[in-house]
Amino acid sequence: MDHTRLLIFSCFSAVLFWMPLFSGCATSAFSHHGDAKKASAEIVKETDVPAPKSTLDYLPGQHIAENIPYAKTLPWIGAPDKDEKVAQAHFTKAETQFSDKQYYEARTSYEKAASCSPESALHEDTLFMVAETYFFEDDYPEAFEAYEILLANYKRSRHMNVAVARQFAIGQYWQSRQQKDPEFIFTPNMIDKTRPFNDLQGSALRAFEKVRLNHPTGSLADDSLMATAGVYFSKKNYQDADYHYSLVRREYPNSEHQYQSHLLGIQSKIRCYQGPRYDGICLKEAKELIEQTFRQFPKISDADRKRLQKLYSQVETNLAMRDYELGDFYANKGYSNSARLYYDRVIDGYPHTTVAKKAREQLENLEGKPNTPPQRLEFISSMFPDVREDPLLFKSGSEVETGSQ
């Protein structure tokens, strides 16, 4: 038994002794048959002399992407953009051309600078200056769109005030041209670069709208609303004009156009009214707006005060006429009780109008007349008696007992 254990231990020791020798031989055998290119590459690596490191190599971020293939092209922290100098050179050249009024050449240089410096402060400046070159070339449609591109890419651009002022000036110019020489919406423009291709009026309205949307808290926001309302008022589109005047009164309480928006809003509401057979909500709103104007502007001129008082009496007369028309309708049908109701409403609500005098005369004519008209074809209606009970009619206890029996 001891001899057997000794034999097993001797074999195991021999295996451990000879295994490293066999493995070394195998490695050396495979290494002799290696690729010649690999050997030559190792020789070149041994002969290469490493370049001395500069101070920039020790800055943070320089070797952070050393083992990331797609990130090896990323600049280290603090490194300047490789196209920044090129963009600045194009921008400086464009500034010189712009000062010399070479707007086309300047615009080309600005566009090159913009392509070399995306999403930077220089890119914002180049977009603004591209729009400026169009503006000073009097190419207003292209200038307007260029300002839109600037404000779409930079919502809080430092050039916003100037860009919005340019858009407002363009809209005013288009509106003045439309008033001077009105044109149809589909009339094409093939010659004048200061005007859009078609729809001069619609382009002016769009310009005013963009001014308010691009800078709603700016100094020109209320001006754009007043200009828009004025366009609709001149086109006799009084509902849209009233809407924009109401925006000025509601959203810009400190606007210098508050008084004018009140006066023109009253006129718009009155002109929206189409007669006693149509909706009268605009008359009620006009009456409330006149009262609000008296309260909000107590120091108005005597001429405006007399004009507003005249408008107030006209509104009250129209409101009284609506009830008077309904009273006449029921009186002609023979429903004297309903007619009296509307005549009384005219007398109580509008006692100082001429319509109230006519309502009193109609009430005198209704004296002694039945409340409802006589029943026609009574022999037919008697065949179908109405046994329905009014649920709101109060019944005494005796009536309830009689009905149950």
Side-chain angles (χ1 to χ4, degrees), residues 51-344:
K53 293 184 178 181
S54 63
T55 306
L56 298 178
D57 293 331
Y58 295 96
L59 291 178
Q62 173 69 8
H63 303 289
I64 194 170
E66 183 176 0
N67 297 322
I68 306 176
Y70 67 86
K72 288 182 178 180
T73 58
L74 297 176
W76 49 274
I77 298 176
D81 189 0
K82 62 180 180 180
D83 294 331
E84 184 177 351
K85 294 182 179 180
V86 178
Q88 189 63 46
H90 285 304
F91 189 83
T92 304
K93 180 181 178 182
E95 290 286 283
T96 304
Q97 294 169 338
F98 185 85
S99 61
D100 294 337
K101 298 183 179 181
Q102 300 176 2
Y103 299 120
Y104 177 78
E105 293 79 3
R107 182 165 57 252
T108 303
S109 300
Y110 283 130
E111 290 173 350
K112 291 180 180 179
S115 62
C116 294
S117 59
E119 299 181 359
S120 64
L122 187 63
H123 183 260
E124 179 183 354
D125 294 336
T126 54
L127 291 182
F128 172 72
M129 292 307 299
V130 166
E132 289 285 276
T133 57
Y134 282 121
F135 183 81
F136 285 100
E137 276 186 333
D138 296 334
D139 192 350
Y140 297 143
E142 292 294 336
F144 185 86
E145 296 302 328
Y147 289 123
E148 277 297 296
I149 293 174
L150 167 67
L151 298 177
N153 286 276
Y154 299 95
K155 302 294 184 181
R156 299 180 180 179
S157 173
R158 57 179 176 272
H159 305 291
M160 178 178 291
N161 291 332
V162 179
V164 168
R166 299 279 197 242
Q167 288 184 323
F168 185 71
I170 292 172
Q172 285 183 316
Y173 174 76
W174 287 341
Q175 177 59 24
S176 63
R177 289 291 298 268
Q178 175 67 19
Q179 291 178 347
K180 182 180 179 181
D181 186 17
E183 62 180 32
F184 188 60
I185 182 174
F186 295 115
T187 303
N189 169 40
M190 308 296 293
I191 301 175
D192 190 359
K193 66 178 182 179
T194 63
R195 297 187 291 122
F197 178 73
N198 64 340
D199 192 12
L200 186 60
Q201 184 77 86
S203 299
L205 289 174
R206 177 173 176 265
F208 295 143
E209 182 183 11
K210 286 295 183 179
V211 169
R212 185 173 67 92
L213 295 179
N214 289 331
H215 199 4
T217 60
S219 59
L220 293 175
D222 54 338
D223 297 288
S224 64
L225 280 175
M226 289 295 293
T228 303
V231 172
Y232 286 124
F233 194 91
S234 63
K235 294 172 62 178
K236 298 182 179 181
N237 190 349
Y238 299 118
Q239 291 183 347
D240 288 336
D242 175 47
Y243 170 72
H244 286 86
Y245 287 132
S246 65
L247 287 181
V248 177
R249 296 192 302 269
R250 185 173 62 251
E251 296 185 5
Y252 301 94
N254 298 323
S255 172
E256 59 183 357
H257 305 293
Q258 274 292 318
Y259 183 60
Q260 290 296 325
S261 64
H262 277 75
L263 296 182
L264 294 173
I266 293 170
Q267 289 287 347
S268 300
K269 291 181 183 298
I270 292 175
R271 299 187 185 195
C272 286
Y273 183 60
Q274 299 180 7
R277 297 185 179 182
Y278 295 89
D279 187 20
I281 188 64
C282 55
L283 286 179
K284 296 179 182 178
E285 292 178 352
K287 181 181 178 181
E288 294 175 357
L289 187 57
I290 294 174
E291 295 172 352
Q292 177 181 335
T293 305
F294 282 128
R295 291 192 303 268
Q296 190 167 343
F297 305 98
K299 298 181 180 181
I300 60 177
S301 62
D302 294 337
D304 289 347
R305 185 177 297 277
K306 292 179 181 179
R307 190 181 302 114
L308 288 175
Q309 289 173 351
K310 184 178 179 180
L311 289 175
Y312 190 81
S313 63
Q314 291 178 359
V315 169
E316 281 201 325
T317 301
N318 288 327
L319 288 172
M321 199 64 191
R322 293 177 60 82
D323 291 336
Y324 182 82
E325 290 280 344
L326 287 173
D328 281 351
F329 171 79
Y330 285 112
N332 295 331
K333 294 291 185 179
Y335 293 93
S336 302
N337 195 25
S338 300
R340 292 189 188 96
L341 175 64
Y342 282 99
Y343 290 143
D344 288 335

Side-chain angles (χ1 to χ4, degrees), residues 36-49:
K37 293 183 179 181
K38 186 183 297 185
S40 61
E42 293 176 358
I43 295 174
V44 172
K45 288 182 180 179
E46 292 176 358
T47 56
D48 287 342
V49 179

Side-chain angles (χ1 to χ4, degrees), residues 317-386:
T317 301
N318 288 327
L319 288 172
M321 199 64 191
R322 293 177 60 82
D323 291 336
Y324 182 82
E325 290 280 344
L326 287 173
D328 281 351
F329 171 79
Y330 285 112
N332 295 331
K333 294 291 185 179
Y335 293 93
S336 302
N337 195 25
S338 300
R340 292 189 188 96
L341 175 64
Y342 282 99
Y343 290 143
D344 288 335
R345 182 182 294 181
V346 173
I347 296 171
D348 295 338
Y350 315 99
H352 303 292
T353 61
T354 57
V355 184
K357 182 178 179 181
K358 296 169 64 176
R360 292 187 184 95
E361 294 176 356
Q362 291 294 333
L363 282 176
E364 294 176 359
N365 296 331
L366 291 177
E367 290 182 359
K369 292 186 178 181
N371 292 336
T372 57
Q375 183 69 40
R376 298 179 181 179
L377 302 177
E378 188 175 357
F379 69 94
I380 295 179
S381 60
S382 62
M383 299 173 59
F384 306 96
D386 189 3

